[in-house]
Amino acid sequence: MKKLVLMAVAIVAVSFASCGNKAANAEQAKADSIRIADSIAAVEAAAAETAAADTVAADSAVVAK
């Protein structure tokens, strides 16, 4: 009987351990998503600036000739 109780306690302990900190994991996932979205926006903005600068440079080159 002691073995059954010990086994039940072990199963409950493993169940609690496997559930873990889902709230903390969700917060971390949200922070990671925001960070990645900000990084993508920064790269897109830099690409747009570069494209605009290239267009202005190309237009200037055509006018200069």
Side-chain angles (χ1 to χ4, degrees):
M1 189 69 176
K2 285 184 179 182
K3 288 181 182 181
L4 290 176
V5 172
L6 182 61
M7 187 64 91
V9 169
I11 290 172
V12 169
V14 169
S15 296
F16 279 125
S18 67
C19 291
N21 271 333
K22 290 193 181 203
N25 292 341
E27 286 290 325
Q28 184 63 36
K30 183 177 178 183
D32 288 344
S33 296
I34 292 170
R35 181 182 51 81
I36 290 169
D38 288 345
S39 297
I40 291 171
V43 168
E44 288 175 347
E49 283 182 17
T50 302
D54 288 345
T55 303
V56 170
D59 290 343
S60 299
V62 171
V63 172
K65 285 186 176 184

